[in-house]
Amino acid sequence: MEKNKLKDSLKRLEEIIEWFDEQEEIDVEAALEYVKEGVVLIKASRERLKGLENKFEEVKKELKEQVED
């Protein structure tokens, strides 16, 4: 499920961007809600990416240790 969560967050961010692109006149209140949602999604996505980066570094370190043995 975690794997899909990042994918889903990025898809939702794309939908928010598309909403802004499609607006001829921006409803400020609706826009604010989308911006707030976007901020939450970006923060969660960054945290998830950082976690994935840490896991990648662990795997890389393990592989290096195995090669050196």
Side-chain angles (χ1 to χ4, degrees), residues 5-6 8 13 19 25 30 34 44 48 59 63-64 69:
K5 190 171 186 177
L6 179 59
D8 292 342
L13 283 168
W19 181 86
E25 290 187 29
Y34 280 118
R48 179 67 179 138
V59 170
L63 181 61
K64 183 177 179 181
D69 287 342

Side-chain angles (χ1 to χ4, degrees), residues 33-47:
E33 292 304 313
Y34 280 118
V35 168
K36 288 176 11 181
E37 182 182 359
V39 168
V40 170
L41 291 168
I42 290 169
K43 182 179 178 184
S45 296
R46 283 184 175 166
E47 290 173 3

Side-chain angles (χ1 to χ4, degrees), residues 57-69:
E57 289 300 322
E58 289 174 17
V59 170
K60 187 174 152 183
K61 181 180 175 184
E62 289 174 16
L63 181 61
K64 183 177 179 181
E65 290 171 357
Q66 289 178 359
V67 169
E68 291 175 350
D69 287 342

